[in-house]
């Protein structure tokens, strides 16, 4: 099954693949999917995490298979169903699911943040909920699932320590990131790297509202010299935010850095077309600091 249905740039839309597990409907952003294949036997890995089924090698590439049913505490997968093979954070991972329902095109404005109404099982690994045809689809946070299983795949915060002591810098930076944990890690890491004037928002819409407010008040120069944005966010995604900034004559010179798990070749092309100044995959937080330095002309720090 070819999962790539290209979207226009900056429309604030995404495509969600709906799949099922234990009678529930879940979703994944199509942009993360490389392919979908029938289940095939895997080789178990000794002493691995309980949610890791094993490894297999389609087309000479070794891929780790994750039992999504086990991750969601819904029992263990049977030897049937499908593997959704994904690529994000520079990793190839197969997620074992029962059935695939189809692809839905939705706007980020339709995706709501999970709250206390969601089952405690998905609490913490759901990134959003969308209602389609009267049915609730839970969009899972696949990055968190993988980093919970294998923490070394998360943000490489240690790379910040390697930068050593740096001069403090009060150039104002605006951050758009919907993950509370990642927002905190990015803010902490940039603070350690000397960047002290940071404003963080939960999504592209909040970031855009802040920029518009600063424009109206004439305080843009005091508050926003550079924007760091994720791609996947409720209400407004990072591509839409980049497009709004770069197509505005008063804002287009503000550097925009896309910092996302979704920086693959296709997404990189989209970001370039929208005018992003730099694009980095999420584990590379040390490289993010380097990109900020370059965008702000601080190469000698």
């Amino acid at each position: 099954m070819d999962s790539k249905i290209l979207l226009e740039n900056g429309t604030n839309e995404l495509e969600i693949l709906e799949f099922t597990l234990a009678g529930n409907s879940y979703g994944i952003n199509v942009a993360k999917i490389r392919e979908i294949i029938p289940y095939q036997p895997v080789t178990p890995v000794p002493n691995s995490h309980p949610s890791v089924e094993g490894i297999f090698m389609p087309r000479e590439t070794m891929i780790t298979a994750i039992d999504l049913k086990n991750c969601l505490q819904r029992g263990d997968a049977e030897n049937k169903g499908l593997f959704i093979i994904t690529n994000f954070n520079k990793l190839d991972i197969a997620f074992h699911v029962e059935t695939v329902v189809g692809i839905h095109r939705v706007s980020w404005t339709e995706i709501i943040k999970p709250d206390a109404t969601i089952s405690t099982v998905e609490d913490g690994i759901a990134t959003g909920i969308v209602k389609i045809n009267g049915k609730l689809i839970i969009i899972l946070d696949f990055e968190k699932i993988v980093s919970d299983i294998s923490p070394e795949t998360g943000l490489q915060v240690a790379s910040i320590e390697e930068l050593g002591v740096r001069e403090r810098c009060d150039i104002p930076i605006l951050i758009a990131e919907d993950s509370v944990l990642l927002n905190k890690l990015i803010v902490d890491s940039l603070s350690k790297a000397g960047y002290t004037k940071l404003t963080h928002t939960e999504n592209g819409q909040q970031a855009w509202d802040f920029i518009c407010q600063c424009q109206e008040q004439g305080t843009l120069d005091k508050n926003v010299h550079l924007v760091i944005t994720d791609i996947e966010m409720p209400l407004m995604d990072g591509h839409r935010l980049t497009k709004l900034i770069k197509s505005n004559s008063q804002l287009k010179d503000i550097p925009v850095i896309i910092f996302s798990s979704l920086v693959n070749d296709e997404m990189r092309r989209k970001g370039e077309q929208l005018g992003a100044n730099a694009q980095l995959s999420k584990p590379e937080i040390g490289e993010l600091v380097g990109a900020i330095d370059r965008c702000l002309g601080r190469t000698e720090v």
Side-chain angles (χ1 to χ4, degrees), residues 73-94:
Q73 298 167 41
R74 307 248 184 228
D76 294 324
E78 297 177 45
N79 294 339
K80 58 182 183 179
L82 299 159
F83 281 140
I84 298 175
I85 299 180
T86 62
N87 177 263
F88 56 87
N89 280 350
K90 299 186 172 177
L91 298 168
D92 293 319
I93 308 268

Side-chain angles (χ1 to χ4, degrees), residues 135-150:
K135 180 168 56 177
L136 288 179
I137 296 174
I138 299 169
I139 301 165
L140 296 175
D141 187 341
F142 287 87
E143 288 88 342
K144 186 166 191 315
I145 290 169
V146 172
S147 65
D148 284 352
I149 290 170
S150 184

